[in-house]
Amino acid sequence: MIRVEGRAEEFEQLRPLLFAIAYRILGSVVEAEDAVQETWLRFEATETEPVSTKAFLSAVVTRISIDVLRSARVRREKYVGPWFPEPLVADPYEDPARSAELADSVSMAALLLLERLSPLERAVFVLRDVFRFDYDEIASAVGRSEDACRQLASRARRHMEAGRPRFDADRREREQLAERFFAALRDGEVDELQELLAADVQIIGDGGGKAPAFTKGVRGFDRVVRVLEGLIPAIGAVELGVQPHEVNGQPGAIVRDGSGRVLGTLALDILDGRIQTIRGVVNPDKLRHLGPVGDAWAVNREVSRARRPHG
């Protein structure tokens, strides 16, 4: 009993790290939580005591995540519209010395880049470049030699560097700009909105065929402004709540209906003092971990009626 209780305590101390690894490999909150739970079951059932509990558990959760990702990739190829990661509103793993770096590694843009890698490349990159594991530990985790892991890391790094997302360095400035954006949206300040948008700004949404979304994207300053202008009266008419909140380590918001149920999340990519991309996740299957989910189709109908001219 003492051994089990001791293991449980060790496991709980490492749970934030294990989830952080699994989420970056999988891009799914629910699947990452399942991978962590399966890791505990295997740890509990192991008769031998590992030399390093951290290395052992990290290896187990990595192998589980790789297996899950391989099957998930097949499903994602059949996904309706653009696929975005499940929104993460709070990363349980913290390292004050690397907080900005860790936040950027979990951004929507970074995770979408990781989708281009093979499962092995993705796992090696996450362990090495994000969490700074040694190559001998990585080799044990993925079942490859250290030299092979170095090659995988190098290849993954080249892919990531080629498309690495850029963000403004000052996180507080990003947060303030996002606050201005959502306040202007709420208050109907179109001129303010225009000041905050990049010339090539785009809006794109992930509805998975289960909620209304800009699946083909809206690109260009004028088009995006028109979309936002159309939303302003609707926000008040149907009592939508746009709650500023960090989403995947970047400024964003949680959108709720009049009853407080979650309708979606918005994540903003900000560079050079302007909003470059607005990514919305409205697929209800990707929102359940955030709380009760509202009916986006019903709200969309209300919005359409609110936008229809009267008289």
Side-chain angles (χ1 to χ4, degrees):
M1 181 62 70
I2 295 176
R3 183 175 68 88
V4 173
E5 289 177 354
R7 282 191 170 184
E9 184 177 347
E10 281 186 292
F11 184 85
E12 288 306 316
Q13 290 175 348
L14 289 166
R15 182 187 288 272
L17 172 63
L18 302 178
F19 175 85
I21 291 171
Y23 178 77
R24 284 165 173 80
I25 294 174
L26 292 167
S28 165
V29 172
V30 174
E31 289 175 342
E33 289 173 344
D34 289 346
V36 172
Q37 182 60 25
E38 177 63 23
T39 299
W40 161 247
L41 294 176
R42 296 189 188 184
F43 185 40
E44 187 182 31
T46 299
E47 294 294 333
T48 58
E49 290 294 332
V51 175
S52 166
T53 302
K54 176 185 175 182
F56 174 81
L57 293 176
S58 299
V60 173
V61 81
T62 296
R63 288 194 289 268
I64 292 170
S65 298
I66 289 172
D67 289 342
V68 173
L69 181 60
R70 284 175 173 147
S71 60
R73 285 165 73 92
V74 176
R75 296 194 303 274
R76 291 172 192 177
E77 288 173 0
K78 302 176 182 178
Y79 195 79
V80 178
W83 180 92
F84 290 164
E86 285 184 6
L88 181 69
V89 297
D91 189 345
Y93 180 75
E94 297 180 355
D95 181 348
R98 302 178 59 227
S99 58
E101 182 183 351
L102 289 169
D104 288 351
S105 76
V106 83
S107 71
M108 288 278 183
L111 291 175
L112 289 172
L113 272 179
L114 283 172
E115 282 291 303
R116 303 178 186 179
L117 307 180
S118 72
L120 273 179
E121 288 172 341
R122 184 166 181 163
V124 169
F125 181 85
V126 167
L127 291 176
R128 181 60 183 172
D129 284 50
V130 179
F131 294 105
R132 311 283 179 83
F133 277 77
D134 293 332
Y135 278 110
D136 60 337
E137 297 173 309
I138 298 171
S140 175
V142 303
R144 295 291 189 274
S145 68
E146 290 185 40
D147 285 344
C149 288
R150 285 188 173 87
Q151 292 174 5
L152 286 165
S154 178
R155 191 158 61 239
R157 207 171 288 127
R158 286 198 301 272
H159 286 301
M160 293 297 290
E161 288 294 341
R164 184 175 293 279
R166 296 170 57 226
F167 303 114
D168 282 347
D170 192 315
R171 296 187 62 80
R172 183 56 193 152
E173 287 184 8
R174 274 189 268 173
E175 292 167 359
Q176 291 174 340
L177 189 147
E179 289 170 4
R180 288 173 57 195
F181 173 77
F182 291 120
L185 193 60
R186 182 187 64 241
D187 299 336
E189 299 289 344
V190 177
D191 289 344
E192 174 77 353
L193 287 174
Q194 291 178 330
E195 287 184 15
L196 302 175
L197 301 177
D200 56 350
V201 63
Q202 63 175 337
I203 301 175
I204 190 164
D206 172 352
K210 299 182 178 183
F214 296 109
T215 56
K216 294 184 179 179
V218 178
R219 293 174 173 81
F221 181 87
D222 292 337
R223 291 180 177 179
V224 169
V225 168
R226 284 197 295 272
V227 168
L228 296 177
E229 279 184 302
L231 287 177
I232 287 170
I235 289 174
V238 300
E239 299 182 334
L240 286 183
V242 182
Q243 171 193 1
H245 199 293
E246 186 175 275
V247 176
N248 284 83
Q250 306 303 316
I254 299 174
V255 182
R256 301 180 186 273
D257 64 16
S259 300
R261 293 171 298 187
V262 179
L263 294 174
T265 61
L266 299 173
L268 309 181
D269 288 353
I270 297 172
L271 181 65
D272 298 330
R274 294 289 185 273
I275 295 170
Q276 307 287 328
T277 304
I278 304 169
R279 290 188 178 87
V281 176
V282 291
N283 182 341
D285 294 343
K286 296 186 175 184
L287 302 172
R288 302 193 195 285
H289 63 285
L290 301 178
V293 178
D295 185 343
W297 289 113
V299 171
N300 190 58
R301 288 192 292 271
E302 290 183 54
V303 168
S304 296
R305 284 195 293 270
R307 293 173 63 178
R308 199 174 298 141
H310 296 283

